Amino acid sequence: MAWNTNLRWRLPATCLLLEVAMVVLFGVFVRYQPDADARWTEDKLSRNVTSDLDNEFYYRYPSFQDVHVMIFVGFGFLMTFLQRYGYSSVGFNFLLAAFGIQWALLMQGWFHSFHQGYILIGVENLINADFCVGSVCVAFGAILGKVSPVQLLIMTLFQVTLFSVNEFILLSLLEVKDAGGSMTIHTFGAYFGLTVTWILYRPNLYQSKERESSVYYSDLFAMIGSLFLWMYWPSFNSAVSNHGDAQHRAAINTYCSLAACVLTSVALSSALHKKGKLDMPFLESRLRIQDTCGIHNLHGIPGIIGGIVGAVTATYTSSEVYGQDGLVHTSGPKGFKPNWTSRMQGKFQAAGIFVSLAMALVGGLFVGLILKLPIWGQPSDENCFDDAVYWELPKEPKDGAVHLEDPTFKPSEP
Amino acid sequence: MAWNTNLRWRLPATCLLLEVAMVVLFGVFVRYQPDADARWTEDKLSRNVTSDLDNEFYYRYPSFQDVHVMIFVGFGFLMTFLQRYGYSSVGFNFLLAAFGIQWALLMQGWFHSFHQGYILIGVENLINADFCVGSVCVAFGAILGKVSPVQLLIMTLFQVTLFSVNEFILLSLLEVKDAGGSMTIHTFGAYFGLTVTWILYRPNLYQSKERESSVYYSDLFAMIGSLFLWMYWPSFNSAVSNHGDAQHRAAINTYCSLAACVLTSVALSSALHKKGKLDMPFLESRLRIQDTCGIHNLHGIPGIIGGIVGAVTATYTSSEVYGQDGLVHTSGPKGFKPNWTSRMQGKFQAAGIFVSLAMALVGGLFVGLILKLPIWGQPSDENCFDDAVYWELPKEPKDGAVHLEDPTFKPSEP
Amino acid sequence: MAWNTNLRWRLPATCLLLEVAMVVLFGVFVRYQPDADARWTEDKLSRNVTSDLDNEFYYRYPSFQDVHVMIFVGFGFLMTFLQRYGYSSVGFNFLLAAFGIQWALLMQGWFHSFHQGYILIGVENLINADFCVGSVCVAFGAILGKVSPVQLLIMTLFQVTLFSVNEFILLSLLEVKDAGGSMTIHTFGAYFGLTVTWILYRPNLYQSKERESSVYYSDLFAMIGSLFLWMYWPSFNSAVSNHGDAQHRAAINTYCSLAACVLTSVALSSALHKKGKLDMPFLESRLRIQDTCGIHNLHGIPGIIGGIVGAVTATYTSSEVYGQDGLVHTSGPKGFKPNWTSRMQGKFQAAGIFVSLAMALVGGLFVGLILKLPIWGQPSDENCFDDAVYWELPKEPKDGAVHLEDPTFKPSEP
């Protein structure tokens, strides 16, 4: 199939339409949370707060910036491993995330920060918007190279909406604990993306096969992304935890778990290669659904494992380990479950996994069908994984090689 | 023209001369601010401060590090887009910034932190020094590829001096508010750089034209720089704001504005290309003044817009929105304007734009003429945009291509 | 010599063995420090702490993340300068550091955080583990390209052990001050690595000579590492300093010193080149011990200079400059030296240098001999500095050049 990939009117129109909508909705709905409002000085006095440091900003800003780097540099460069899709990986990830965080601020705001007709935002909202977009970046991994930027914007619009609904059901209705986002971010994001790519299945994708692999430098760029994701994961998991010990503990746990995973992964990669060599990335999906970045293994399975472990752990938490206050603080109810027990919490946690999966599958089906319409400027099967479709690329020297030293160069020194 | 580009004596002499001067001046003038002084423990007791956290360090250090990354990685890699000028972009930016922050600590110190014969420095001074150097990095963008490192050091010496004078006039004499540095950093930096490059106009620069463009990987390196500048901009704008709500608000505003800009830029880039493709960077200057990085569009125009918006906003601030305390805190006078009104503040803000422009033009003219002297080792017209003039480059394999797999490689496994 | 470099069983076995040991030891010994424990809320009340901010986490987490980036991106990319050793530089550094931080948490924990049978860990332990691994990264620089990942894991196991013993002798027994780790990290790490590479001397290493150099892009990747090390050094030096003025002062000092060094280095590099060009890295070791990254000049000499300066400074500290409280806080004894004087402290500091050197030489000798055994899958002399020995590399296009534009590409636009 050969679609029209000229986006001259469709991409600008989509961008401008969405951005105008954002600006209007922000103008109507978004205001500052008290900690970010110019009246905070007065507010502080009335609440007997004496130190400027007791502003939510100082508890969360360093973690926020780390999470921000993960979304834009981490996910962006992680996907540069394809040999000629680096501009699109970084650039489209940038585009969808920039739109997504605006729409997430609104959607999550209506559900969680809505007071007297206004969404009140502060640093925690910024982090949650980045988290929500994280799930879109995960889904992007499955369809990488096979869609147009217009399709990505449409997917982002719907996925952020569904993410927010799912998050509301889990966190507010089921009162599930999901620090780190095993269910809301990873499970939902991965199975949403996998469903979309399954719907968009291309039987003749083999025509682009020679570009669906890495070259030496593209993998080195991908390492920049991988490392920033790995290093800042303690911030990701602790960014919106409760103040004090909870943030502290989340960071320590993530630091130790991540270190342990590296040795296990290296062992597995070497053992699976016939000469014992290391390969990156080595966990290819065995599913025949064209999952470009292997997100099923990278986010899907781990998300479900995380959800299950969470349910089991919640079932067996006890005040012996946590202290009475600590238990309530950590996994207790916010109010409406009078006969709350650890066991009950465990069941609600388990329910959260199924809700997330259902939301991902149904939502992915719906969005996949919309994206299948032949009007969004998607690339043909033989032009997938290629920056040249949507980007003006720099001209390379005539013989196709990157010349770095010019034999005709004559410096004018004496 | 063919100048002598051998810098063997000129560059070391310039560096050592400047560094010796810095060391002597630091020894004579620079001391620690109370928060960084070993007597702080005593000082704290006398001021009834009970928490170690109430040290300026904890309010500003995370933002400081983000700003630091912007100056060195952000600006450095942003300019690596030229196909064979990566070493110079990163390396010369590193050199000028490293010298500039030392000189800025002194210059800004004499104007703003001078007490009883000493400059007292703390973390806020470090941030302000980075800001000052940011304006030099902006100007560097205009002359990138056409000057020697000796010229850059001389330009930095003068530009930091002029920046500090301009900043003193704006912030201390006119009591202008310039969080984010629309006037002091962007407007001043851009028009200073543009004036310098206009004076250094090279009629035969077309001889280096084939190198004044990017290649695939050089643009990918440039994305690293662009992203770190984009992601950390909330820190840039909030780093020296007032404690609490002001820092918080500046970060939120920057986050939202930056996200909105991405969609608008993508729309514009696609609409301007005849096949709707995206291009980076796409905003080329139409001015015929050889502005290598297009800083007129990137910093000049936005700086002026920022200045105007600031003036308008200041005019219409009211205690209804900000609260009485908030208003004084945010845009009020420090003391010497007894009949201060918002309207008056707006006029002073507007005056700040013109002062910055005048300083940039007159200063740029003066510095440009000094740099035009044929003694600084500048490259000839046909050797511009080339690392080979000033760097010992690694030898590439004989046939000019980067070989990554060696056909003769025989691993010794059994 | 041709060793068997197939690691299919040796690498997975080593990794899994070490990781299982880590998991068991963590399960038996590691618990949370009070600030990270779920009982902190109760604990806080009992100690009359009112603010959540008074948790060690907020004093140290931002610096911790910077240090973490230095270890993984900084050291990892610093060593990508070799033309075809990028995967190994980043990947092996990642592997050894991930193992090293776990073992360091245990070793340092037994020496410094052991209470009633348990190691209590918090954010400061994470930073110290990263520091300890920093010394292994330094040593890795000397043997880069000449060892297998199995050898690196074994070296890490021993070096972390010896580091912790040396650190205990210096900090706890001699009560030496070593902020920044001149002695414990740099001196120890460098001379340990140099001794190991001296033992592993390869007379026929010239057979791999053509790969022991950089190419254009490999040096640009190395600049990413160098810059992150440079920019975050203020965090490295201040991360575990005392709260307040000490952290503040360490950051300021490092910032200024680092800036000064840049000009001096540029001057030296240019003056040493016959045409005055700049070279990176230009300080090659003159020692004939195959020190791949020149760590003798980069860490060895500077570490010793740092140690000496520290001893001299300690000798001449006085309460005039520091205040009585400040002096005790800064360089005073923790308890067991009743007749403590500055002069005495200076002598202990000097002793610390010699202890570190002795530990490095004896330890390096011992570890070098173990690594010399021909069973660890090390590369042969003609296969050094080559990713292909241990990594499955992506296939490059047939003619060996990186083709970025495909002449057969036909976009399907109308």
Side-chain angles (χ1 to χ4, degrees):
Chain A
M1 276 174 291
W3 292 285
N4 179 345
T5 58
N6 186 328
L7 302 178
R8 190 162 186 188
W9 301 113
R10 284 174 286 184
L11 183 56
T14 311
C15 285
L16 291 178
L17 201 73
L18 291 173
E19 193 50 50
V20 168
M22 291 302 110
V23 169
V24 170
L25 288 168
F26 266 68
V28 173
F29 286 108
V30 177
R31 297 295 180 272
Y32 300 111
Q33 186 211 289
D35 272 22
D37 195 279
R39 290 172 187 278
W40 186 63
T41 321
E42 293 169 17
D43 185 54
K44 228 178 21 170
L45 285 175
S46 73
R47 292 186 299 118
N48 256 329
V49 173
T50 51
S51 169
D52 284 334
L53 268 170
D54 224 334
N55 188 306
E56 193 69 7
F57 182 77
Y58 301 104
Y59 287 95
R60 311 230 179 258
Y61 190 72
S63 316
F64 155 65
Q65 273 295 3
D66 294 349
V67 172
H68 213 43
V69 170
M70 292 172 77
I71 299 299
F72 290 90
V73 161
F75 280 108
F77 275 90
L78 180 68
M79 298 189 273
T80 55
F81 68 93
L82 291 174
Q83 58 185 269
R84 36 197 279 176
Y85 209 63
Y87 288 25
S88 304
S89 301
V90 178
F92 293 166
N93 183 71
F94 188 33
L95 174 65
L96 73 83
F99 164 59
I101 55 181
Q102 297 176 72
W103 180 229
L105 280 175
L106 290 165
M107 280 302 302
Q108 295 178 315
W110 283 315
F111 279 124
H112 301 287
S113 314
F114 201 60
H115 299 282
Q116 304 178 316
Y118 291 119
I119 295 168
L120 304 185
I121 68 172
V123 65
E124 199 171 338
N125 301 63
L126 308 188
I127 299 170
N128 280 317
D130 271 344
F131 281 169
C132 172
V133 160
S135 90
V136 185
C137 298
V138 167
F140 180 32
I143 54 174
L144 186 74
K146 300 173 296 185
V147 289
S148 76
V150 175
Q151 285 176 299
L152 288 171
L153 287 170
I154 293 168
M155 184 178 89
T156 305
L157 178 69
F158 285 109
Q159 194 179 346
V160 166
T161 310
L162 291 161
F163 176 98
S164 306
V165 172
N166 187 49
E167 187 187 43
F168 178 71
I169 296 175
L170 265 67
L171 304 192
S172 300
L173 303 186
L174 302 177
E175 291 198 352
V176 152
K177 304 287 169 183
D178 192 38
S182 294
M183 294 177 267
T184 52
I185 301 171
H186 299 287
T187 303
F188 172 76
Y191 291 100
F192 181 91
L194 290 168
T195 310
V196 169
T197 197
W198 176 64
I199 300 285
L200 298 182
Y201 189 78
R202 290 166 177 263
N204 301 314
L205 190 61
Y206 65 86
Q207 292 174 1
S208 285
K209 205 186 157 190
E210 83 281 4
R211 283 186 306 272
E212 204 189 351
S213 59
S214 59
V215 289
Y216 193 79
Y217 285 127
S218 70
D219 260 348
L220 214 47
F221 277 110
M223 278 191 184
I224 296 175
S226 316
L227 280 177
F228 274 101
L229 284 174
W230 189 89
M231 295 180 305
Y232 284 159
W233 218 272
S235 295
F236 193 91
N237 284 352
S238 66
V240 296
S241 303
N242 288 330
H243 292 170
D245 61 297
Q247 282 198 292
H248 202 155
R249 204 161 55 250
I252 295 171
N253 289 350
T254 312
Y255 175 97
C256 294
S257 316
L258 283 168
C261 291
V262 174
L263 274 83
T264 321
S265 301
V266 167
L268 212 57
S269 178
S270 174
L272 290 176
H273 187 281
K274 67 179 192 303
K275 292 184 178 172
K277 294 187 181 182
L278 300 168
D279 203 350
M280 43 176 157
F282 69 94
L283 281 179
E284 267 175 61
S285 184
R286 298 281 171 237
L287 302 171
R288 300 195 49 189
I289 52 167
Q290 304 179 335
D291 170 11
T292 314
C293 294
I295 66 163
H296 185 248
N297 289 315
L298 198 59
H299 297 276
I301 301 285
I304 290 181
I305 294 176
I308 294 172
V309 171
V312 172
T313 318
T315 306
Y316 296 103
T317 45
S318 75
S319 56
E320 266 174 68
V321 176
Y322 283 82
Q324 192 55 46
D325 283 12
L327 183 62
V328 172
H329 218 62
T330 306
S331 57
K334 282 176 213 146
F336 80 88
K337 296 177 194 155
N339 305 311
W340 182 89
T341 62
S342 299
R343 214 184 164 83
M344 191 196 293
Q345 181 67 25
K347 286 181 189 162
F348 276 101
Q349 297 283 135
I353 306 175
F354 290 101
V355 173
S356 301
L357 279 172
M359 193 67 94
L361 297 175
V362 176
L365 203 71
F366 170 72
V367 174
L369 289 170
I370 291 176
L371 298 186
K372 219 178 163 66
L373 298 175
I375 56 172
W376 309 121
Q378 46 267 66
S380 62
D381 291 345
E382 69 269 28
N383 285 337
C384 284
F385 314 118
D386 198 334
D387 278 338
V389 186
Y390 303 115
W391 294 87
E392 178 69 28
L393 293 186
K395 281 182 195 62
E396 302 297 325
K398 270 173 244 164
D399 61 1
V402 184
H403 273 109
L404 297 165
E405 261 191 281
D406 180 356
T408 65
F409 170 73
K410 290 176 204 119
S412 52
E413 309 134 306
Chain B
M1 276 171 290
W3 292 285
N4 180 346
T5 58
N6 186 329
L7 302 177
R8 190 163 186 187
W9 301 114
R10 284 174 287 184
L11 182 56
T14 312
C15 285
L16 291 178
L17 201 74
L18 291 172
E19 193 51 50
V20 168
M22 291 301 111
V23 169
V24 171
L25 289 168
F26 266 67
V28 174
F29 286 108
V30 176
R31 296 295 179 273
Y32 301 112
Q33 183 212 292
D35 272 22
D37 195 278
R39 291 173 188 275
W40 187 63
T41 320
E42 294 170 16
D43 185 53
K44 226 177 22 167
L45 284 175
S46 74
R47 290 186 300 119
N48 256 329
V49 173
T50 52
S51 169
D52 284 334
L53 269 170
D54 224 334
N55 188 306
E56 193 69 8
F57 182 76
Y58 301 105
Y59 287 94
R60 311 227 179 260
Y61 190 72
S63 317
F64 155 65
Q65 273 294 6
D66 295 349
V67 172
H68 213 43
V69 170
M70 292 172 77
I71 299 298
F72 289 90
V73 161
F75 279 108
F77 275 90
L78 181 68
M79 298 189 275
T80 56
F81 68 94
L82 291 174
Q83 58 185 269
R84 36 198 282 176
Y85 209 63
Y87 289 25
S88 305
S89 301
V90 178
F92 293 167
N93 183 71
F94 188 32
L95 174 64
L96 73 84
F99 165 59
I101 55 181
Q102 297 176 73
W103 181 228
L105 279 175
L106 290 165
M107 280 301 301
Q108 295 178 315
W110 283 315
F111 279 124
H112 301 288
S113 314
F114 201 60
H115 298 283
Q116 304 178 315
Y118 292 119
I119 296 168
L120 304 185
I121 68 171
V123 65
E124 199 170 338
N125 300 65
L126 308 189
I127 299 170
N128 280 318
D130 271 343
F131 281 169
C132 172
V133 162
S135 90
V136 185
C137 298
V138 167
F140 179 31
I143 56 175
L144 186 74
K146 300 173 296 185
V147 290
S148 76
V150 176
Q151 285 175 299
L152 287 171
L153 287 170
I154 293 168
M155 184 178 89
T156 304
L157 179 71
F158 285 109
Q159 193 180 346
V160 166
T161 311
L162 291 161
F163 176 98
S164 306
V165 172
N166 186 49
E167 188 187 42
F168 177 72
I169 297 175
L170 264 67
L171 304 192
S172 300
L173 303 187
L174 301 178
E175 291 197 351
V176 154
K177 304 288 169 183
D178 193 39
S182 294
M183 294 178 266
T184 52
I185 301 171
H186 299 287
T187 303
F188 172 76
Y191 291 101
F192 182 91
L194 290 168
T195 310
V196 169
T197 197
W198 176 65
I199 301 284
L200 298 182
Y201 189 79
R202 287 166 177 265
N204 300 315
L205 190 61
Y206 64 87
Q207 293 174 0
S208 286
K209 203 186 159 190
E210 82 282 4
R211 282 186 307 272
E212 205 189 350
S213 58
S214 59
V215 288
Y216 193 79
Y217 286 127
S218 71
D219 260 347
L220 215 46
F221 277 110
M223 278 192 184
I224 296 175
S226 316
L227 280 177
F228 274 101
L229 283 174
W230 190 89
M231 294 180 306
Y232 284 159
W233 218 272
S235 295
F236 194 90
N237 284 352
S238 66
V240 296
S241 302
N242 288 330
H243 292 169
D245 61 297
Q247 281 197 291
H248 202 155
R249 206 162 52 248
I252 294 171
N253 288 350
T254 312
Y255 176 97
C256 294
S257 315
L258 283 169
C261 291
V262 174
L263 274 82
T264 320
S265 301
V266 167
L268 213 56
S269 177
S270 173
L272 289 177
H273 187 282
K274 68 179 188 302
K275 293 182 179 174
K277 294 188 181 184
L278 300 168
D279 203 350
M280 42 176 158
F282 70 95
L283 280 180
E284 267 175 62
S285 183
R286 299 281 170 237
L287 302 170
R288 301 196 50 189
I289 51 167
Q290 304 179 333
D291 169 12
T292 313
C293 293
I295 66 164
H296 186 247
N297 290 315
L298 199 58
H299 297 277
I301 302 285
I304 289 182
I305 293 175
I308 293 173
V309 171
V312 172
T313 318
T315 305
Y316 294 103
T317 45
S318 74
S319 56
E320 265 174 70
V321 176
Y322 283 83
Q324 193 54 46
D325 281 13
L327 183 63
V328 171
H329 220 60
T330 308
S331 56
K334 284 178 212 145
F336 79 86
K337 296 178 193 153
N339 305 312
W340 181 89
T341 61
S342 301
R343 214 185 165 81
M344 191 196 293
Q345 183 68 24
K347 286 182 188 158
F348 275 100
Q349 297 283 134
I353 306 175
F354 290 102
V355 173
S356 300
L357 279 172
M359 193 67 92
L361 297 175
V362 175
L365 203 71
F366 170 72
V367 174
L369 289 171
I370 291 175
L371 298 186
K372 217 178 163 69
L373 297 176
I375 56 172
W376 310 119
Q378 47 267 64
S380 63
D381 291 345
E382 68 270 28
N383 286 336
C384 284
F385 314 118
D386 198 333
D387 278 337
V389 186
Y390 302 115
W391 294 86
E392 178 69 28
L393 292 185
K395 280 184 194 62
E396 302 298 326
K398 270 172 244 161
D399 60 359
V402 184
H403 273 108
L404 296 165
E405 261 190 285
D406 180 356
T408 67
F409 170 73
K410 289 177 204 118
S412 51
E413 309 134 305
Chain C
M1 277 173 291
W3 292 284
N4 180 345
T5 59
N6 186 327
L7 301 178
R8 190 162 186 190
W9 301 114
R10 285 175 288 186
L11 183 56
T14 311
C15 285
L16 292 178
L17 201 74
L18 291 173
E19 193 52 49
V20 168
M22 291 301 110
V23 169
V24 171
L25 289 168
F26 266 68
V28 173
F29 286 109
V30 176
R31 297 295 180 273
Y32 300 112
Q33 185 211 289
D35 273 20
D37 195 278
R39 291 172 188 278
W40 186 62
T41 320
E42 294 169 16
D43 186 55
K44 227 177 23 168
L45 284 174
S46 73
R47 290 187 300 117
N48 256 328
V49 172
T50 52
S51 169
D52 284 334
L53 269 170
D54 223 334
N55 188 306
E56 193 69 9
F57 182 77
Y58 301 105
Y59 287 94
R60 311 231 179 257
Y61 190 72
S63 316
F64 155 65
Q65 273 294 6
D66 294 348
V67 172
H68 213 43
V69 170
M70 293 172 78
I71 299 299
F72 290 90
V73 161
F75 279 109
F77 275 91
L78 181 67
M79 298 188 275
T80 56
F81 68 94
L82 291 175
Q83 58 184 269
R84 36 198 279 177
Y85 209 62
Y87 289 25
S88 305
S89 301
V90 178
F92 294 166
N93 182 71
F94 188 32
L95 175 64
L96 73 83
F99 165 59
I101 55 181
Q102 296 176 73
W103 182 228
L105 279 175
L106 290 165
M107 282 300 302
Q108 295 178 315
W110 283 316
F111 279 124
H112 300 288
S113 313
F114 202 60
H115 298 284
Q116 304 179 316
Y118 291 119
I119 295 168
L120 304 184
I121 66 172
V123 65
E124 198 170 339
N125 300 63
L126 309 188
I127 300 170
N128 280 317
D130 271 343
F131 281 169
C132 173
V133 161
S135 91
V136 184
C137 298
V138 167
F140 179 31
I143 56 176
L144 186 74
K146 299 172 297 184
V147 289
S148 76
V150 176
Q151 285 175 300
L152 288 171
L153 287 170
I154 293 168
M155 184 179 90
T156 305
L157 179 70
F158 285 109
Q159 193 180 346
V160 166
T161 311
L162 291 161
F163 176 98
S164 305
V165 173
N166 186 50
E167 187 186 43
F168 177 72
I169 296 175
L170 265 67
L171 305 193
S172 300
L173 302 186
L174 301 178
E175 291 197 349
V176 152
K177 305 288 169 183
D178 193 37
S182 294
M183 293 177 266
T184 53
I185 301 171
H186 299 286
T187 303
F188 172 76
Y191 291 100
F192 181 91
L194 291 168
T195 311
V196 169
T197 198
W198 175 65
I199 301 285
L200 298 181
Y201 189 79
R202 288 166 177 265
N204 301 314
L205 190 61
Y206 64 87
Q207 292 174 0
S208 286
K209 205 186 157 190
E210 82 281 7
R211 282 186 306 274
E212 204 188 350
S213 59
S214 58
V215 289
Y216 194 79
Y217 285 126
S218 70
D219 260 348
L220 213 47
F221 277 109
M223 278 190 183
I224 297 175
S226 316
L227 280 178
F228 274 101
L229 284 174
W230 190 89
M231 294 180 305
Y232 284 160
W233 218 272
S235 295
F236 194 91
N237 284 352
S238 66
V240 297
S241 303
N242 288 329
H243 292 170
D245 61 296
Q247 281 197 292
H248 202 155
R249 204 161 54 249
I252 295 171
N253 289 350
T254 312
Y255 175 97
C256 294
S257 315
L258 283 169
C261 291
V262 174
L263 274 82
T264 322
S265 301
V266 167
L268 212 57
S269 177
S270 174
L272 289 177
H273 186 283
K274 67 179 192 299
K275 292 184 179 172
K277 293 187 182 184
L278 300 168
D279 204 348
M280 42 175 157
F282 70 94
L283 279 179
E284 267 175 61
S285 183
R286 299 284 169 234
L287 302 171
R288 300 197 47 190
I289 52 166
Q290 304 179 334
D291 170 10
T292 313
C293 293
I295 67 162
H296 186 248
N297 289 315
L298 199 58
H299 297 277
I301 302 285
I304 289 182
I305 293 175
I308 294 173
V309 172
V312 173
T313 318
T315 306
Y316 295 103
T317 45
S318 75
S319 56
E320 263 174 72
V321 176
Y322 283 81
Q324 194 55 45
D325 282 12
L327 183 61
V328 172
H329 219 61
T330 307
S331 57
K334 283 177 212 145
F336 80 88
K337 295 177 194 154
N339 304 313
W340 181 89
T341 61
S342 300
R343 211 183 169 82
M344 190 196 296
Q345 182 67 25
K347 285 180 189 162
F348 276 100
Q349 296 284 134
I353 307 175
F354 290 102
V355 172
S356 301
L357 278 172
M359 193 67 93
L361 297 174
V362 175
L365 203 69
F366 171 72
V367 174
L369 288 170
I370 291 176
L371 298 185
K372 218 179 164 67
L373 298 175
I375 57 171
W376 309 121
Q378 45 268 65
S380 62
D381 290 346
E382 68 267 30
N383 286 335
C384 284
F385 314 118
D386 198 334
D387 278 337
V389 186
Y390 303 115
W391 294 87
E392 178 69 28
L393 293 185
K395 282 182 194 64
E396 300 298 324
K398 271 171 244 165
D399 61 358
V402 184
H403 272 109
L404 297 165
E405 259 191 285
D406 180 356
T408 67
F409 170 75
K410 290 176 202 119
S412 52
E413 308 135 306

